[in-house]
Structure formats: C-alpha cells, structure tokens
Amino acid sequence: MSNNEEVVERLLNHFNLTMSAIEKRLGISNGTLGKYKRGAISTPFSLITGLKLNNLNPDYFLTGEGSPEIGS
C-alpha cells in the first residue's frame, strides 16, 4: 500500500464516511482524494487546510504519527 493510500485509509477510518463525503466536509474539490490516492497529484494544500479548519492534525493523517485531533 502506498503512502497516499494509507493517508486516504486513515481519513476513511477516522470519518467513517465515503471519500466524497469527506471531501465535502473538508471543503476539498470532488475527486481530489481519488486522484491523490492514485498518486496522480501530490498532497493537496486544500486537504491540509481542511483538516486544520476541522481541528484535526494533518501530521497524523499524513504520517500516522500522533493523535488525529489537534491538542490531544
């Protein structure tokens, strides 16, 4: 499993939603997570921004280290 696939898997597990619903919740354009998962695009800035706006730790989702919530 690639790192991008692991990132998307962590998002899916955390939110327990579809990729489309996660994109909507984080304010990411439709289809962005699928492109990222396939490696067609690099880490979208909108993903990092969306996580921060939802008080979530981007480092956790991108590396698997730490806690999902900021300040935990």
Side-chain angles (χ1 to χ4, degrees):
M1 184 180 293
S2 74
N3 184 55
N4 292 8
E5 291 172 320
E6 290 173 2
V7 170
V8 172
E9 191 64 29
R10 279 190 283 277
L11 288 166
L12 292 169
N13 288 334
H14 178 79
F15 286 101
N16 199 28
L17 298 169
T18 64
M19 284 197 299
S20 179
I22 293 169
E23 290 168 337
K24 187 172 186 173
R25 179 170 287 182
L26 297 178
I28 300 171
S29 298
N30 191 28
T32 299
L33 288 179
K35 291 175 189 173
Y36 176 66
K37 182 178 179 179
R38 291 190 307 276
I41 60 172
S42 60
T43 305
F45 182 73
S46 59
L47 172 60
I48 295 168
T49 301
L51 289 167
K52 288 180 179 179
L53 289 173
N54 283 276
N55 205 34
L56 295 170
N57 181 3
D59 290 334
Y60 168 78
F61 291 97
L62 297 175
T63 67
E65 296 177 15
S67 174
E69 287 81 25
I70 291 176
S72 293

